[in-house]
Amino acid sequence: MLRVAVVGGGPSGSCAAEILAKAGIETWIFERKLDNAKPCGGAIPLCMVEEFDLPESIIDRKVRNMKMISPSNREVDINLDNQDEYIGMCRREVMDAYLRERAAGLGANLVNGLVTKIDTGTKRQGPYTLHYTDYSAGEATGVAKELAVDLIIGADGANSRVAKAMDAGDYNVAIAFQERIKLPPEEMKYYESLAEMYVGTDVSPDFYAWVFPKYDHVAVGTGTMQQNQSLIKGLQEGIRERAKKRLLNGEVIKVEAHPIPEHPRPRRVVGRMALVGDAAGYVTKSSGEGIYFAAKSGRMCAEQIVAASKQGQTIPTEADLKVYIKKWDRKYGATYKVLELLQNIFYRNDAAREAFVEMCDDKDVQRLTFDSYLYKRVVMMNPWQQLKLTFLTLGSVLRGNALAPASYKPVDSAVRSDEEANAMLAVRSITGGIKVRGDRNRAAAANGIASAPGSADPSSSKPEPVLSGR
């Protein structure tokens, strides 16, 4: 009987282990932090709820309203009119635990352990032996153990040990930083079914910042490419500054940071080792979405193993495993390229970001975007929509230079008067969380701007060499 080790117990690893266990294949799933809470917006598309049979109990909020907020604080509302449609907001520690336990319930051996070394045999073709520290007994030091297997699935994230063992090659990574913030009842009610996305050089030079609702708090975070890692706390302060009138009297209850891959690794299958999820590099540009693609890649990889092994009766070859890669690239390759193009066009400066938000005010753009996101399908435009979108893009880009602000300001409170909000801020702002040394507007300073927070002049033609993501 085939023996498979799945290293990593997030969505990709758990969904792979579930398929393998269902087929009766001997499966081990390794996860060191069973209560791990990955810094992640936690948004999942509707199709994932249905396709992966996720219960409502793991979904904190059903978001049907989204606000896109431009550098000049133009707010565009994007609403789902169909009450059967929504974006699910989850806490990763809740969702991941559910998926792991489901796989274990089907027969996968769940090991609370850390894989420290992998013997891969001659030219990485096997035999494979995992050396790991088992923490199942609750001891702080753990117990050193070994496990021999026929095949390994690397689902262990951006810093994957499996990827290193198989010499999968490097990739660019982004840095995600997030604070979980408890809010007063009035502010929390505002975010009951609403998520916000902010764009601007003050919150990220090459990505976006977010305020996403969870069970009893909001997740407030940002991301940027690794070369801008030194700016990340300044960028996080940027989103706190811009959203502070909507985060009044907030209390930070958790601070999180994590690397996120920006494109697939050069090699995702070597010998009888395969990568899935973040380890493979399956996070989309522009949107930064990775949960659905992680779960889907784990499932597709495992389904290929089950088919090629005849339900675990034979050992698949490297060529067998590479069929999973071919199917993945054929199904999702175009999606990744389109989103990379959008990021390069619309996240390059504040004028382009203004154009992007303005375009999101168009109902056709909203419907196409939501259909693509919610159902993970390519939505074709009719000739009239294509022509309209072309002129809309050109017009928005031309207006973007005039719309881009000379400075950044906090957005107004949505539930209090400006006088009341300012009075509350005079007494207390957000407590806890990050502490930024030196000039709190570090991001703007690095962009050659010496004045108040976000005082960049994005309409100028000067390049942004320090902050530009590419």
Side-chain angles (χ1 to χ4, degrees):
M1 175 61 70
L2 184 66
R3 295 160 60 88
V4 181
V6 180
V7 182
S12 60
S14 296
C15 290
E18 177 184 348
I19 296 298
L20 296 171
K22 277 183 179 178
I25 293 172
E26 287 192 78
T27 306
W28 286 261
I29 180 170
F30 292 85
E31 176 58 51
R32 171 63 185 101
K33 298 179 179 179
L34 296 179
D35 60 347
N36 187 40
K38 182 180 177 182
C40 169
I44 59 173
L46 182 61
C47 66
M48 183 173 181
V49 178
E50 299 169 349
E51 185 177 346
F52 290 86
D53 194 23
L54 300 179
E56 289 203 358
S57 60
I58 71 165
I59 299 172
D60 286 346
R61 304 278 181 176
K62 293 182 177 180
V63 167
R64 296 185 175 89
N65 308 290
M66 179 78 75
K67 275 190 186 290
M68 296 289 300
I69 302 175
S70 77
S72 66
N73 287 347
R74 173 177 180 169
E75 300 183 40
V76 168
D77 292 304
I78 305 174
N79 303 312
L80 284 170
D81 298 325
N82 185 345
Q83 289 302 298
D84 293 330
E85 294 181 328
Y86 62 87
I87 299 170
M89 290 292 171
C90 301
R91 285 165 289 164
R92 284 293 301 273
E93 63 270 28
V94 174
M95 182 180 71
D96 291 11
Y98 172 81
L99 292 172
R100 275 196 302 271
E101 293 300 330
R102 187 165 72 179
L106 290 166
N109 300 293
L110 177 56
V111 181
N112 180 198
L114 176 66
V115 174
T116 56
K117 181 185 175 184
I118 303 173
D119 295 332
T120 61
T122 304
K123 296 183 178 179
R124 301 183 176 86
Q125 300 299 307
Y128 301 106
T129 301
L130 278 72
H131 302 262
Y132 66 98
T133 305
D134 191 335
Y135 295 94
S136 300
E139 300 278 337
T141 54
V143 179
K145 295 184 178 181
E146 296 180 4
L147 177 69
V149 295
D150 303 305
L151 192 148
I152 299 173
I153 295 178
D156 47 343
N159 295 321
S160 170
R161 275 194 169 88
V162 178
K164 290 182 175 65
M166 60 189 273
D167 189 27
D170 293 328
Y171 52 16
N172 294 328
V173 297
I175 306 300
F177 192 100
Q178 177 175 278
E179 294 173 297
R180 301 192 188 197
I181 302 179
K182 275 200 171 246
L183 299 177
E186 284 189 63
E187 275 69 24
M188 194 63 219
K189 184 171 178 55
Y190 167 70
Y191 287 109
E192 188 172 19
S193 64
L194 170 73
E196 292 181 331
M197 295 172 61
Y198 292 73
V199 291
T201 307
D202 59 327
V203 299
S204 179
D206 42 28
F207 204 56
Y208 63 87
W210 61 87
V211 180
F212 286 175
K214 301 304 171 85
Y215 172 68
D216 61 352
H217 63 276
V218 291
V220 180
T222 185
T224 188
M225 292 300 294
Q226 190 173 32
Q227 61 262 36
N228 302 322
Q229 183 174 350
S230 63
L231 306 175
I232 192 66
K233 287 187 178 180
L235 297 171
Q236 178 66 12
E237 192 179 24
I239 178 56
R240 282 176 52 159
E241 178 70 17
R242 190 100 78 83
K244 67 182 181 181
K245 291 185 179 180
R246 294 185 180 175
L247 306 174
L248 290 166
N249 286 357
E251 179 185 358
V252 177
I253 58 175
K254 192 175 184 65
V255 179
E256 306 159 308
H258 202 272
I260 298 174
E262 277 288 291
H263 63 78
R265 288 189 188 270
R267 292 172 293 282
R268 288 165 279 164
V269 168
V270 174
R272 296 191 302 279
M273 298 179 285
L275 299 177
V276 295
D278 281 12
Y282 294 148
V283 176
T284 60
K285 297 284 185 74
S286 184
S287 68
E289 184 190 359
I291 299 176
Y292 173 82
F293 293 111
K296 186 68 172 180
S297 65
R299 176 173 283 188
M300 287 178 66
C301 180
E303 287 172 343
Q304 175 59 27
I305 292 169
V306 171
S309 69
K310 299 179 175 60
Q311 302 287 116
Q313 298 305 308
T314 62
I315 298 176
T317 66
E318 180 175 308
D320 290 331
L321 291 181
K322 284 184 175 178
V323 173
Y324 136 68
I325 300 294
K326 293 176 183 176
K327 289 180 178 178
W328 176 269
D329 290 344
R330 185 164 59 246
K331 189 175 183 68
Y332 297 114
T335 299
Y336 283 83
K337 290 184 184 303
V338 168
L339 290 173
E340 181 175 9
L341 178 64
L342 289 176
Q343 182 170 346
N344 290 337
I345 292 173
F346 290 114
Y347 285 1
R348 70 185 187 276
N349 57 41
D350 278 353
R353 294 180 189 106
E354 288 288 346
F356 173 60
V357 174
E358 181 181 85
M359 286 178 58
C360 288
D361 205 12
D362 181 82
K363 293 300 180 183
D364 281 339
V365 172
Q366 291 182 16
R367 189 67 255 174
L368 289 167
T369 301
F370 264 124
D371 280 351
S372 298
Y373 175 78
L374 291 176
Y375 303 107
K376 289 295 169 284
R377 63 192 181 201
V378 178
V379 181
M380 302 303 294
M381 293 184 291
N382 60 46
W384 162 244
Q385 287 176 317
Q386 291 176 339
L387 185 63
K388 174 186 172 183
L389 184 59
T390 300
F391 283 112
L392 182 63
T393 303
L394 291 173
S396 296
V397 169
L398 290 173
R399 284 190 296 275
N401 285 307
L403 295 170
S407 62
Y408 305 101
K409 299 176 182 178
V411 294
D412 292 334
S413 170
V415 297
R416 302 180 191 273
S417 68
D418 204 43
E419 292 77 10
E420 184 182 5
N422 288 332
M424 292 175 68
L425 285 172
V427 176
R428 175 188 162 197
S429 186
I430 299 170
T431 58
I434 59 169
K435 287 180 170 53
V436 179
R437 290 175 293 178
D439 184 354
R440 72 180 191 170
N441 198 35
R442 183 186 300 178
N447 200 25
I449 303 148
S451 51
S455 58
D457 180 6
S459 63
S460 74
S461 59
K462 293 181 180 179
E464 301 177 3
V466 176
L467 286 175
S468 62
R470 284 163 187 77

